[in-house]
Amino acid sequence: MKLVRSTLALAAIVFVSVTTLHAQDPLPSWNDTAPKKAIVAFVEKVTKEGSSDFVPPAERIATFDNDGTLWCEKPLPVQLFFTLDRVKALAPQHPEWKTKEPFASLLKGDLKGALAGGEHAILEMMTATHSGMTITEFEKIVADWIATAQHPKFKRPYTECVYQPMLELVAYLRANGFKTFIVSGGGIEFMRPWTEKVYGIPPEQVVGSSGKTKFEMRDGTPVLLKLPAVNFIDDKDGKPVGINEHIGRRPVMAFGNSDGDLEMLQWTAASSGSRYCLYVHHDDAEREYAYDRKDALAKLDKGWDEAVAKGWTVVSMKDDWKTIFPPEKK
Amino acid sequence: MKLVRSTLALAAIVFVSVTTLHAQDPLPSWNDTAPKKAIVAFVEKVTKEGSSDFVPPAERIATFDNDGTLWCEKPLPVQLFFTLDRVKALAPQHPEWKTKEPFASLLKGDLKGALAGGEHAILEMMTATHSGMTITEFEKIVADWIATAQHPKFKRPYTECVYQPMLELVAYLRANGFKTFIVSGGGIEFMRPWTEKVYGIPPEQVVGSSGKTKFEMRDGTPVLLKLPAVNFIDDKDGKPVGINEHIGRRPVMAFGNSDGDLEMLQWTAASSGSRYCLYVHHDDAEREYAYDRKDALAKLDKGWDEAVAKGWTVVSMKDDWKTIFPPEKK
């Protein structure tokens, strides 16, 4: 009996400590440096009723870029790894790819050659692998791939190469009444199968690039077919367009990591009322990757200058984050 | 003191009665006929944990057409009245309209002539009046118009020509964990300025037709400019496309009133799990309007046959609704 009581008492202490700790520190993976202080100060002022900075809950919109902001985008964006794997998987059905670039190089094992055509080559491979099936079939292809594919450096699923400090931030904002959205250049249908599980962000709060789809009846059953045509590119000056089309409100907080996010941050910062913008700066070659101004796929160049000029937060992953990735799953 | 006590007791009784009434009847403006019973039975089964029909809260998506389903679309769709008013307001800036159809007829007071060109004429007037300004400017134009314009027959604001039974239904579904969306052929930017206030549906849950927009910097301030080009038509086979693009889940319940909603209802009905589809049938010439199979702008023809064949609910406004519109605002 005494043991039971002691155990209960201990459990109570542990519970209280954890609760207190959590109440004191919603962002435990962030070092106690300027970015964390700025985030907490901002959230406290906009959620304080009666404050001149108060933002009503319905207007608390926070938008997050995905690649490089919520999860790792190096050595290549995850959707590009997916695309390359799909080209290989579909090659038997496409004998013409053996002699057609960029497919031919890739199938010979020459990744550099396949990517030499730049954005055009990437778009061609994406279009070829992201169309010709129903949205339901594509969802299953993505779900199956993401369940097994591994990051080449970290040797863990891509969905575990997400940034622990950002997971805490997303949860912290939601706990403070924010509706959290992804606004990514990545494919909307590539993200939706897993964002709810990984980030707690449901499909209807994912904004991304998309291909055209077509409604048709197949033996009396309606399907949406993915067509080989671009519908919308949710990148750069497309991000405010996507935000307006999908959300219809201007964000109160916006988070990015590259020039692809600059217009989203500008669009956020320039609206009336309290606004907050943040760039994640990849400067941790040891724990992740270091890249910025000159990066081929994810330049932080104009955005860096504007962040400095406007006083936006720039997070040093090296100095401001205690940990990068979540603990390994058993 | 006794009086105070009695008053408090009376207040308590009234409060209990109202609460009980509400608990018993979430749809007081619906007659106790088959549609109401079917709706309540469906909602009860999909929200009952442990039931084989249970739908988790995150998946409870309900989509509502707007024109003719949530508000009156006769004698003309409200956005068309808005468009006609805008043509008149903008005419001084467009001397060329005096000799150009459909503008010329309208400006001479010949509405029938202006609409003789059908959908093409309507689209031309809409494009001319819905572009050339920023989204913020357009939002104000809509808000100002909707605050003062009156329905020609009912002599009250259009936002009060909404269906009281449907307001109750939207609220009832939300109270049962549904996320309620508008999926309308109407303009997304024409609806968003007022749907939250009128239906409790926030901008991010409004799906509609849209024009293209363009991000640009004006004297260092970012704006989104409305261009004279169609981006997306959220009608007929466009509705499942819009639902997929904006929501990324298939609805559990869908509500419409015309063939423009048929594909949305088919898309809803054909997905796995418990699904519910309903058509509002306009058969009340006295309290509203009577129209269906042969209506020029809102045919309920193929949809009627499919509803009968599939056992979808068809609401008779005349027989199933106690009242049509909310009480007049003071």
Side-chain angles (χ1 to χ4, degrees):
Chain A
M1 187 64 184
K2 204 176 172 189
L3 182 64
V4 173
R5 269 197 206 140
S6 306
T7 310
L8 282 175
L10 184 65
I13 290 164
V14 171
F15 178 74
V16 168
S17 308
V18 170
T19 311
T20 311
L21 186 68
H22 184 77
Q24 282 173 346
D25 192 354
L27 303 171
S29 299
W30 292 67
N31 284 320
D32 203 22
T33 45
K36 177 176 175 170
K37 287 176 188 168
I39 291 165
V40 172
F42 182 84
V43 170
E44 286 179 353
K45 81 176 181 177
V46 297
T47 56
K48 190 177 172 186
E49 276 194 71
S51 141
S52 62
D53 295 304
F54 181 71
V55 176
E59 292 169 23
R60 291 181 202 157
I61 302 290
T63 55
F64 293 83
D65 169 55
N66 185 41
D67 297 306
T69 299
L70 293 178
W71 77 352
C72 182
E73 64 179 341
K74 291 290 164 189
L76 290 175
V78 182
Q79 194 173 358
L80 187 46
F81 280 123
F82 167 76
T83 301
L84 301 174
D85 280 358
R86 291 305 299 160
V87 168
K88 290 171 199 163
L90 292 168
Q93 297 160 47
H94 292 274
E96 76 280 10
W97 285 355
K98 277 187 193 153
T99 54
K100 192 186 169 193
E101 290 301 345
F103 306 95
S105 292
L106 180 67
L107 296 174
K108 275 180 243 150
D110 176 13
L111 175 60
K112 209 175 154 187
L115 298 180
E119 279 184 20
H120 178 77
I122 292 172
L123 188 63
E124 196 168 353
M125 289 189 286
M126 287 186 68
T127 304
T129 54
H130 288 58
S131 66
M133 72 290 279
T134 68
I135 59 156
T136 313
E137 288 160 355
F138 186 73
E139 184 181 343
K140 187 174 169 356
I141 291 168
V142 172
D144 288 349
W145 182 84
I146 206 107
T148 55
Q150 293 246 328
H151 189 282
K153 176 175 173 180
F154 303 114
K155 309 293 179 203
R156 45 160 67 192
Y158 291 107
T159 48
E160 291 177 33
C161 299
V162 294
Y163 306 131
Q164 177 63 23
M166 296 304 284
L167 295 182
E168 293 167 7
L169 178 56
V170 170
Y172 171 59
L173 294 185
R174 267 203 302 271
N176 280 281
F178 279 84
K179 219 169 190 175
T180 51
F181 285 83
I182 290 172
V183 177
S184 169
I188 198 165
E189 312 225 35
F190 178 71
M191 296 183 282
R192 282 174 166 165
W194 51 268
T195 56
E196 188 156 33
K197 200 172 153 194
V198 174
Y199 305 134
I201 296 180
E204 63 270 25
Q205 285 162 225
V206 176
V207 182
S209 298
S210 59
K212 287 198 185 297
T213 59
K214 184 178 182 291
F215 178 89
E216 63 178 43
M217 281 291 182
R218 282 189 178 175
D219 303 326
T221 300
V223 297
L224 276 181
L225 197 65
K226 283 176 69 62
L227 305 179
V230 170
N231 176 54
F232 178 62
I233 301 291
D234 189 52
D235 201 26
K236 301 188 176 97
D237 56 359
K239 289 204 175 192
V241 172
I243 288 170
N244 182 56
E245 176 74 10
H246 283 255
I247 310 177
R249 302 191 204 255
R250 289 173 77 158
V252 172
M253 304 183 81
F255 304 87
N257 77 298
S258 79
D259 282 0
D261 305 310
L262 178 57
E263 287 85 349
M264 172 169 78
L265 270 60
Q266 289 172 326
W267 182 240
T268 301
S271 56
S272 60
S274 300
R275 295 295 181 265
Y276 187 87
C277 294
L278 181 151
Y279 268 122
V280 173
H281 181 212
H282 294 265
D283 60 355
D284 194 329
E286 198 180 315
R287 295 188 300 174
E288 203 232 11
Y289 294 91
Y291 56 100
D292 53 29
R293 286 190 185 262
K294 289 175 185 183
D295 189 79
L297 288 174
K299 249 190 281 187
L300 179 57
D301 187 24
K302 281 188 283 179
W304 178 276
D305 293 336
E306 189 138 342
V308 170
K310 299 262 177 79
W312 297 342
T313 297
V314 177
V315 167
S316 157
M317 290 175 70
K318 198 174 167 188
D319 297 333
D320 298 320
W321 285 0
K322 271 187 204 144
T323 54
I324 305 290
F325 299 124
E328 206 159 344
K329 286 199 179 143
K330 302 292 176 227
Chain B
M1 187 63 184
K2 201 175 171 188
L3 181 66
V4 173
R5 268 197 206 140
S6 305
T7 309
L8 282 175
L10 184 65
I13 289 164
V14 171
F15 178 73
V16 169
S17 309
V18 170
T19 311
T20 311
L21 187 68
H22 185 74
Q24 283 174 344
D25 193 354
L27 303 171
S29 298
W30 292 67
N31 284 321
D32 203 21
T33 43
K36 177 175 175 171
K37 287 176 187 167
I39 292 165
V40 172
F42 182 85
V43 170
E44 287 181 352
K45 79 175 182 179
V46 297
T47 55
K48 190 177 173 183
E49 276 194 71
S51 141
S52 63
D53 295 304
F54 181 71
V55 176
E59 293 170 22
R60 290 182 204 156
I61 302 291
T63 55
F64 293 83
D65 168 56
N66 186 41
D67 296 306
T69 300
L70 293 178
W71 77 352
C72 181
E73 64 180 340
K74 293 290 165 189
L76 290 176
V78 182
Q79 194 173 357
L80 187 45
F81 279 122
F82 167 77
T83 302
L84 300 173
D85 280 359
R86 291 304 299 160
V87 168
K88 291 172 198 161
L90 292 168
Q93 296 161 47
H94 293 272
E96 76 279 12
W97 286 354
K98 276 186 192 154
T99 53
K100 193 186 169 195
E101 291 300 343
F103 306 95
S105 291
L106 181 67
L107 296 174
K108 275 180 244 151
D110 175 13
L111 174 61
K112 207 174 157 188
L115 299 180
E119 278 184 22
H120 178 77
I122 292 172
L123 188 63
E124 196 168 350
M125 289 189 287
M126 287 186 67
T127 305
T129 54
H130 287 58
S131 65
M133 71 290 280
T134 68
I135 59 156
T136 314
E137 288 160 355
F138 186 73
E139 185 182 343
K140 187 171 167 3
I141 292 168
V142 172
D144 288 349
W145 182 84
I146 207 109
T148 55
Q150 294 245 328
H151 189 282
K153 176 175 173 181
F154 303 114
K155 308 293 179 203
R156 44 160 65 191
Y158 291 107
T159 47
E160 292 177 33
C161 299
V162 294
Y163 305 132
Q164 176 64 23
M166 296 304 284
L167 295 182
E168 293 168 8
L169 178 56
V170 170
Y172 171 58
L173 294 184
R174 269 202 302 271
N176 280 280
F178 279 83
K179 220 169 189 175
T180 51
F181 286 82
I182 289 172
V183 177
S184 169
I188 198 165
E189 313 225 36
F190 178 72
M191 295 183 282
R192 281 173 166 166
W194 51 269
T195 57
E196 188 155 33
K197 199 171 154 195
V198 175
Y199 305 134
I201 296 181
E204 63 269 25
Q205 287 163 223
V206 176
V207 182
S209 298
S210 59
K212 288 198 184 296
T213 60
K214 184 176 182 289
F215 177 89
E216 63 178 43
M217 281 291 183
R218 282 188 176 173
D219 304 325
T221 301
V223 297
L224 276 179
L225 198 64
K226 284 177 69 63
L227 305 179
V230 170
N231 177 52
F232 178 62
I233 300 291
D234 189 52
D235 200 26
K236 301 190 177 98
D237 56 358
K239 289 206 174 192
V241 171
I243 288 170
N244 182 57
E245 177 75 9
H246 283 256
I247 311 178
R249 304 193 204 253
R250 289 173 78 159
V252 171
M253 303 182 82
F255 305 87
N257 77 298
S258 79
D259 282 0
D261 305 310
L262 178 57
E263 287 86 349
M264 171 168 79
L265 270 60
Q266 290 172 326
W267 181 240
T268 300
S271 56
S272 61
S274 300
R275 294 295 181 266
Y276 187 88
C277 293
L278 181 151
Y279 268 122
V280 173
H281 181 212
H282 293 264
D283 60 356
D284 195 329
E286 197 180 315
R287 294 188 300 174
E288 203 231 11
Y289 294 91
Y291 57 100
D292 53 31
R293 288 192 184 259
K294 291 175 184 182
D295 189 79
L297 288 175
K299 248 191 282 188
L300 179 58
D301 187 25
K302 282 189 282 179
W304 178 277
D305 293 337
E306 190 139 340
V308 171
K310 299 262 177 80
W312 298 341
T313 297
V314 177
V315 167
S316 157
M317 291 176 71
K318 198 174 167 189
D319 298 333
D320 298 319
W321 285 359
K322 269 184 208 149
T323 54
I324 306 288
F325 299 124
E328 206 159 343
K329 285 196 180 146
K330 302 292 174 224

